[in-house]
Amino acid sequence: MSDTLFMTQRRLKALAKQPWFLFFALVQPIIWLFLFGNLFRRIVELPGFGGGSYLTYLVPGVVVMSAMSSNMWAGMGTLEEIERGTLNRFLVTPVRRGAIINANVIEQALTTTFQSVAIVLLGWAAGAHYPGAHYPGGIVGVLVLLVAAVLLGTVFSAMSNAVGMLVRQRETIIGLNTLLLLPLTFLSTAFMAKELMPGWMRALTGANPVDWALAAGRGALTDSPDWGRVCANGGALLLLAGLAVWLSTRTFRAYQRAV
């Protein structure tokens, strides 16, 4: 734990020297939030959507999509450290190997939390409604949404690190991210209610971790949350995140043996 803390502090110090990074991390979610929010705002009038404000419906979708898309690029940072020789220099220190990977994942989790909080606040300022001022819904629901986004981000950041150490090619990470981002987004309820999807798409959403995060977040933000469903989706995300971190650590050990 002390090694992980040290390595995380090192990464956060480097991040603090790039304040514009956090600004640009919010530009794309803002575009999604307000562009899609205005373009599709009348879609709630379709029978079966459920009514309400589309902006309120969209905020969790943008939070989850942003968590996925930003964490998909974590492997690029790992590649940069490999190319600069930084990663190899850490291999001759007594620092625990798991701490090197865990620090990367924690940094991404903190960035995802900042990004998600900013999106929720922007949505609230624009008129999105988070049911209840207290439990159930309200702040509790928002916290569940943030945790779901962090867990989903952990899945993709750990997998991206694993791919980066295995292939050591930027083009592969770029191609993989481009391949996965839109299908995983549109095979979820990020922008469209499940009831209005074609049958085959509804079937695929059940196996999509992006939709697990949305189901947990949106479920906790309702007036009467189904906490059993929320916990089931959150538990599935937690297990997948643990598996992804374990795989990333194993991949790092394989990289260590290869250098």
Side-chain angles (χ1 to χ4, degrees):
M1 291 181 66
S2 61
D3 287 352
T4 297
L5 178 61
F6 173 81
M7 296 300 295
T8 302
Q9 288 175 338
R10 165 190 168 265
R11 297 189 69 90
L12 292 178
K13 286 178 181 177
L15 183 63
K17 295 179 180 178
Q18 307 172 66
W20 285 104
F21 171 80
L22 295 176
F23 170 77
F24 286 118
L26 291 175
V27 171
Q28 192 174 47
I30 290 172
I31 292 173
W32 289 335
L33 191 63
F34 294 108
L35 185 62
F36 289 177
N38 282 280
L39 181 63
F40 299 122
R41 61 191 172 91
R42 297 194 63 184
I43 205 171
V44 296
E45 299 173 11
L46 290 175
F49 194 94
S53 162
Y54 185 67
L55 182 63
T56 299
Y57 180 87
L58 184 61
V59 168
V62 173
V63 167
V64 168
M65 187 177 178
S66 300
M68 174 178 62
S69 62
S70 61
N71 282 277
M72 277 181 161
W73 301 101
M76 299 294 269
T78 301
L79 275 179
E80 183 179 352
E81 293 209 328
I82 290 174
E83 292 170 356
R84 294 171 59 185
T86 308
L87 195 58
N88 289 352
R89 287 197 290 272
F90 278 119
L91 294 179
V92 297
T93 69
V95 68
R96 289 295 184 99
R97 303 308 181 236
I100 299 174
I101 293 298
N102 291 341
N104 190 321
V105 172
I106 292 172
E107 180 204 2
Q108 293 293 326
L110 292 174
T111 303
T112 299
T113 301
F114 167 80
Q115 189 180 50
S116 300
V117 169
I119 294 168
V120 168
L121 291 176
L122 283 170
W124 174 74
H129 175 60
Y130 311 123
H134 49 78
Y135 179 94
I139 189 63
V140 175
V142 171
L143 289 176
V144 171
L145 175 62
L146 295 180
V147 171
V150 169
L151 287 175
L152 184 71
T154 299
V155 171
F156 284 99
S157 64
M159 294 303 296
S160 182
N161 285 330
V163 171
M165 286 182 288
L166 283 174
V167 301
R168 305 182 201 178
Q169 292 180 342
R170 297 176 187 273
E171 293 79 8
T172 302
I173 294 178
I174 294 170
L176 186 62
N177 291 354
T178 304
L179 175 68
L180 292 177
L181 179 60
L182 289 182
L184 287 176
T185 299
F186 290 110
L187 288 173
S188 75
T189 55
F191 302 117
M192 179 60 64
K194 193 172 185 178
E195 291 73 16
L196 298 179
M197 291 181 176
W200 65 271
M201 292 184 73
R202 288 200 301 269
L204 290 176
T205 59
N208 185 355
V210 176
D211 202 65
W212 301 349
L214 282 166
R218 280 209 186 101
L221 283 169
T222 61
D223 288 311
S224 301
D226 181 350
W227 291 111
R229 188 181 176 202
V230 170
C231 291
N233 284 286
L237 270 178
L238 180 61
L239 287 174
L240 186 59
L243 179 62
V245 171
W246 174 83
L247 179 62
S248 179
T249 303
R250 297 290 298 179
T251 305
F252 180 67
R253 290 173 181 169
Y255 167 81
Q256 180 183 354
R257 290 193 295 268
V259 295

